[in-house]
Amino acid sequence: MASARISEAQKFGLRFFAILATFSVLAWVIVLPQQLTTVQEGIAGATGQLARLVGSANVVRGDHIQVPQLAIHINHECTGIYVLIILVTFLFAYPGPWSRRITGAVIGVAALLLITAAPIAVLAQDKDTLVIALDTLGAQVMDPILDTR
């Protein structure tokens, strides 16, 4: 009788789901959304600064960005934390040297945080810039939402 061997892909899958389950339990235990206030404020501050570099007249208070026609609240979903958890889980489960896994996680987290801030910075512009951004980036999705408010 042949013994069943676990393939490298199966080992990766098992590691991935074990690490993801660990992160999920940890997030539940610490009530993750309630622990992200500092991150939310950091994203609001960085986004406000980024938008001011291109002419926005926004004011940042805590995790709120105020522009003349719009108020933006950075909540825990805006942090990208769940995408970051998936990325780090994938990199930690990947079969490779730990130095490369950690380097990939650092670079990936930094890149995703920057990618997260960019659309919010567009929103923190004046009303005309927001309309241009919506027309360019997906008005077909946003128009029905904006028309109902």
Side-chain angles (χ1 to χ4, degrees), residues 10 14 23 27-28 47 49 54 58 62 66 68-71 75-76 79 91 103 105 111 113 122 127 130 138:
Q10 290 169 324
L14 291 171
F23 276 138
W28 176 71
T47 300
Q49 289 289 347
V54 291
N58 68 69
Q66 181 69 49
Q69 298 87 6
L70 182 68
N75 62 20
H76 69 276
T79 64
L91 290 171
T103 301
L113 288 175
V122 169
K127 184 178 179 186
L130 176 60

Side-chain angles (χ1 to χ4, degrees), residues 79-93:
T79 64
I81 189 68
Y82 302 110
V83 173
L84 294 173
I85 287 172
I86 297 293
L87 173 69
V88 170
T89 298
F90 177 85
L91 290 171
F92 283 6

Side-chain angles (χ1 to χ4, degrees), residues 30-115:
I30 67 169
V31 191
L32 183 63
Q34 295 179 8
Q35 309 304 320
L36 296 173
T37 303
T38 304
V39 175
Q40 291 167 216
E41 291 173 352
I43 289 173
T47 300
Q49 289 289 347
L50 183 62
R52 282 191 288 278
L53 287 175
V54 291
S56 173
N58 68 69
V59 176
V60 177
R61 288 192 182 93
D63 59 1
H64 288 79
I65 305 169
Q66 181 69 49
V67 294
Q69 298 87 6
L70 182 68
I72 303 169
H73 174 235
I74 307 300
N75 62 20
H76 69 276
E77 287 95 355
C78 296
T79 64
I81 189 68
Y82 302 110
V83 173
L84 294 173
I85 287 172
I86 297 293
L87 173 69
V88 170
T89 298
F90 177 85
L91 290 171
F92 283 6
Y94 193 78
W98 275 102
S99 61
R100 290 192 179 177
R101 294 182 205 186
I102 292 170
T103 301
V106 169
I107 292 169
V109 167
L112 282 175
L113 288 175
L114 188 62
I115 290 168

Side-chain angles (χ1 to χ4, degrees), residues 121-136:
V122 169
L123 290 175
Q125 298 299 311
D126 59 29
K127 184 178 179 186
D128 293 334
T129 305
L130 176 60
V131 170
I132 291 168
L134 291 177
D135 285 342
T136 305

